[in-house]
Amino acid sequence: MKYVHYMTDTTVVLDRVLLLATLVQADLARFEREEGLSTARVHLLWVLGASGPTTQQALAQALDVTPRNVTGLVDGLVASGHVTREPHPSDRRATLVTLTALGTRTVDGLAASHADLAAKLFGDVDPGRLAVFGDVLDETTQRFARLMEKA
Amino acid sequence: MKYVHYMTDTTVVLDRVLLLATLVQADLARFEREEGLSTARVHLLWVLGASGPTTQQALAQALDVTPRNVTGLVDGLVASGHVTREPHPSDRRATLVTLTALGTRTVDGLAASHADLAAKLFGDVDPGRLAVFGDVLDETTQRFARLMEKA
DNA sequence: GAGACATCGTGAAGTATGTTCACTACATGA
DNA sequence: TCATGTAGTGAACATACTTCACGATGTCTC
């Protein structure tokens, strides 16, 4: 019967973070279903939207998968009309994976849906409290980075 | 040049939540590698640890996958010695998936690793600010639930 | 009891994501 | 030119998913 009443148990907090992330993940899954795309392919489109035309090697690094896997993902996205393989201007071995008009629309839609969700979730939170929230997130992320370095 | 200086953009906050979740996910992946288990199998073990011996149907519901898929996951976990299939005492159709000693050790280890990470991440945060953090998480999760209902 | 009908688990077959290994085509530096 | 490295892909495979069909039980009703 110690005073665990002030229940600021760190595990509970971590669980809440994970729960929120799971819910947001579910929202992303809804988007994917609507677009008829998989998580892996949307991830690739997202990276492509942020970086512009990219070689498959670079995509493999960004997605943290093997180059061979990127070949398969790009195959699917070419078939669905979201990207094309363009020749690299200076390296004839490489191809530049490039968003089509459809691919660009999809990425834009995802960004809009993401911003919309963020506004709905955090828009009504008092600015001061939201600032604390953001700061704690930031500190925690940095603490995590330091932990990983040591290990 | 509007005053976006006070950068409390909600999208940034959401991105930070997702980033932290991704990092925590990476820590879980490390655990999985060390134990030689996959995400799906660890998830099943975790549910089993929380619920005690469970039928495959119930596991399918809890994991939000098809019963057929649970069969495959349990097959793997039986082979690796983490669970056994016990006869259901009152329903001869069903089997009770049950943690072995090894399975229990694994779940305990995961729980310990989880609590340890939580303490490292949030243990040094000022209690008052951590309380605000937790509250905002809670409000946001509830807001999300309300959003889902309407849609 | 005897059917009718639902439920539990699994075989068969198929898809997507991911791996490793081997190979071809091209790039680059000595 | 010759050696060595790098970009992408074919082949083969593992895992996690799915749907559909089916046998074995449970359960409800007449």
Side-chain angles (χ1 to χ4, degrees):
Chain A
M1 249 314 216
K2 310 164 189 175
Y3 28 110
V4 222
H5 276 140
Y6 196 153
M7 189 64 160
T8 322
D9 192 344
T10 54
T11 303
V12 173
V13 175
L14 181 55
D15 284 343
R16 285 187 191 168
V17 172
L18 261 27
L19 174 58
L20 180 57
T22 302
L23 294 177
V24 174
Q25 195 86 5
D27 188 67
L28 177 61
R30 180 192 50 74
F31 179 86
E32 291 166 358
R33 270 197 311 279
E34 287 172 6
E35 298 287 329
L37 287 165
S38 66
T39 302
R41 292 180 191 183
V42 167
H43 193 179
L44 195 154
L45 288 181
W46 185 256
V47 169
L48 216 49
S51 320
T54 310
T55 66
Q56 296 188 185
Q57 287 291 334
L59 285 173
Q61 275 192 259
L63 299 175
D64 197 29
V65 297
T66 59
R68 186 58 185 88
N69 191 21
V70 172
T71 299
L73 295 175
V74 171
D75 283 351
L77 288 167
V78 168
S80 60
H82 290 87
V83 306
T84 56
R85 277 189 243 248
E86 303 294 332
H88 191 288
S90 67
D91 187 338
R92 281 188 298 169
R93 295 169 305 178
T95 64
L96 284 178
V97 183
T98 308
L99 287 176
T100 61
L102 171 62
T104 303
R105 268 202 308 279
T106 304
V107 172
D108 288 350
L110 181 56
S113 153
H114 184 66
D116 185 56
L117 178 62
K120 279 179 182 155
L121 288 180
F122 298 115
D124 289 344
V125 177
D126 170 78
R129 299 175 71 227
L130 188 57
V132 171
F133 183 76
D135 287 349
V136 171
L137 273 176
D138 226 22
E139 294 161 26
T140 304
T141 303
Q142 283 174 18
R143 213 187 319 274
F144 191 98
R146 252 177 289 140
L147 281 177
M148 290 299 97
E149 278 172 19
K150 287 177 187 167
Chain B
M1 242 330 210
K2 308 165 190 175
Y3 27 111
V4 225
H5 276 140
Y6 196 155
M7 191 63 161
T8 322
D9 191 9
T10 54
T11 303
V12 172
V13 174
L14 181 54
D15 284 344
R16 283 188 193 167
V17 172
L18 261 28
L19 174 58
L20 181 57
T22 301
L23 294 176
V24 173
Q25 195 85 7
D27 188 67
L28 175 63
R30 180 193 48 74
F31 179 86
E32 291 167 359
R33 270 197 311 279
E34 285 172 9
E35 298 286 330
L37 287 166
S38 66
T39 302
R41 292 180 191 182
V42 167
H43 193 179
L44 195 154
L45 288 181
W46 185 255
V47 168
L48 216 50
S51 320
T54 310
T55 66
Q56 297 188 184
Q57 287 291 335
L59 286 173
Q61 276 192 258
L63 299 175
D64 196 29
V65 297
T66 60
R68 185 59 184 85
N69 190 22
V70 172
T71 300
L73 295 175
V74 171
D75 284 350
L77 287 167
V78 167
S80 60
H82 291 87
V83 305
T84 56
R85 276 188 245 248
E86 303 296 331
H88 191 289
S90 68
D91 187 340
R92 280 188 299 167
R93 295 169 303 176
T95 64
L96 283 179
V97 183
T98 307
L99 287 175
T100 62
L102 172 60
T104 303
R105 268 203 306 280
T106 303
V107 172
D108 288 350
L110 181 55
S113 152
H114 184 66
D116 185 57
L117 178 61
K120 279 180 183 157
L121 288 181
F122 298 113
D124 289 344
V125 177
D126 170 79
R129 299 175 72 226
L130 187 58
V132 171
F133 183 76
D135 288 349
V136 172
L137 273 176
D138 226 20
E139 295 160 25
T140 304
T141 303
Q142 284 173 17
R143 213 189 318 274
F144 191 97
R146 255 178 286 141
L147 281 177
M148 292 301 95
E149 278 173 18
K150 289 179 187 171

